[in-house]
Amino acid sequence: TNTNRMKILPFLLIAFILTTSCNQSRKSDSEQDAQGNDEKPVIEYSSRMYKNTASEKEQSKDYEGAIADYSKALELEPNDSSIYYLRGFAKHQKGDYEGAIADYTKAIETGPNNGMTLFFYARGSAQEKLKNFESALSDYNRALGINPNAYDIYYNRGQVKDELQDYQGAVYDYTKALENEPKSANLYYVRATAEYKLEDYKSAVADYSKAIE
């Protein structure tokens, strides 16, 4: 089975929303302060410029270049949680999971409450890649504690519970994920596998049948 389905497009979409929201907020602040502080608009523009170029490099899979530009943006805005997240995501894509965890942690430490589900999800995914399953489970639990309707996370948490041999918990999480993706053959397959390990053969056969329909 796929041990870690990190959905790239939703992550990038949320990242874009976070960045756009931050940019709009900063633009408003810059306009308000322009008359009293000539330096602020220049600094804010430079930060946005680095984030924009980093995003372009990331889309072309130039992760080293993206990381470098996000780092430059952080020099100007060292408390911007969205930049820590974005740099962490670039490191994640590059395979530097420990570096990604460090940046996601900084995002958690500096971030607004409305970004926490994403940050814990991202850090849990990186922990899972490193086979730190207990830590991944803790992060997924915290993400779902904040937003229990983040259905994508149930799949990841189910995979971690599978690794920890909590098959009943895995069945629960796959069932929750199926509420959002009722036609997913993969979800039926992984739930069937967990049911088989629980010796619930009737349910396993039913789910395997659903998976191949």
Side-chain angles (χ1 to χ4, degrees):
T1 62
N2 179 4
T3 59
N4 186 11
R5 183 182 64 171
M6 182 179 180
K7 291 194 169 183
I8 301 303
L9 289 178
F11 256 54
L12 288 176
L13 176 60
I14 297 170
F16 173 78
I17 292 171
L18 273 173
T19 306
T20 302
S21 175
C22 290
N23 287 348
Q24 290 174 342
S25 174
R26 292 182 195 111
K27 181 179 179 182
S28 177
D29 290 343
S30 296
E31 290 171 351
Q32 291 175 8
D33 294 342
Q35 293 181 348
N37 185 349
D38 293 334
E39 293 183 0
K40 186 171 183 179
V42 176
I43 293 173
E44 299 293 358
Y45 174 77
S46 296
S47 175
R48 291 199 298 273
M49 178 184 68
Y50 284 127
K51 284 188 282 187
N52 289 339
T53 57
S55 177
E56 291 170 1
K57 290 175 182 178
E58 196 166 358
Q59 289 177 26
S60 63
K61 301 188 185 301
D62 177 12
Y63 300 121
E64 288 287 358
I67 291 165
D69 283 352
Y70 286 134
S71 296
K72 290 175 183 176
L74 280 167
E75 291 176 6
L76 298 170
E77 296 186 74
N79 295 315
D80 190 323
S81 61
S82 71
I83 305 176
Y84 282 112
Y85 163 74
L86 291 165
R87 189 175 71 174
F89 186 70
K91 291 177 180 179
H92 199 137
Q93 293 290 87
K94 179 175 172 285
D96 177 11
Y97 303 120
E98 291 182 354
I101 288 168
D103 277 347
Y104 294 147
T105 299
K106 287 292 293 184
I108 290 166
E109 291 171 351
T110 60
N113 290 335
N114 62 3
M116 288 300 163
T117 299
L118 173 65
F119 300 157
F120 281 118
Y121 178 23
R123 191 172 71 174
S125 179
Q127 296 281 15
E128 191 177 349
K129 283 289 190 179
L130 291 172
K131 301 189 184 299
N132 297 332
F133 297 122
E134 292 286 357
S135 295
L137 179 61
S138 175
D139 280 340
Y140 291 148
N141 286 342
R142 294 186 72 174
L144 286 167
I146 297 166
N147 182 5
N149 295 320
Y151 288 99
D152 289 344
I153 305 177
Y154 286 106
Y155 174 87
N156 291 70
R157 192 174 71 172
Q159 292 281 273
V160 167
K161 288 179 179 179
D162 252 331
E163 294 288 349
L164 295 172
Q165 299 183 359
D166 175 13
Y167 303 123
Q168 193 65 54
V171 168
Y172 171 84
D173 281 344
Y174 298 143
T175 301
K176 291 293 291 183
L178 277 163
E179 292 177 11
N180 190 53
E181 296 185 75
K183 296 183 179 180
S184 170
N186 183 58
L187 284 171
Y188 281 111
Y189 177 83
V190 292
R191 189 173 70 173
T193 301
E195 289 163 341
Y196 182 86
K197 292 172 182 176
L198 288 168
E199 299 182 359
D200 182 1
Y201 301 123
K202 182 177 180 180
S203 296
V205 167
D207 276 347
Y208 281 133
S209 297
K210 280 278 191 181
I212 62 176
E213 282 181 358

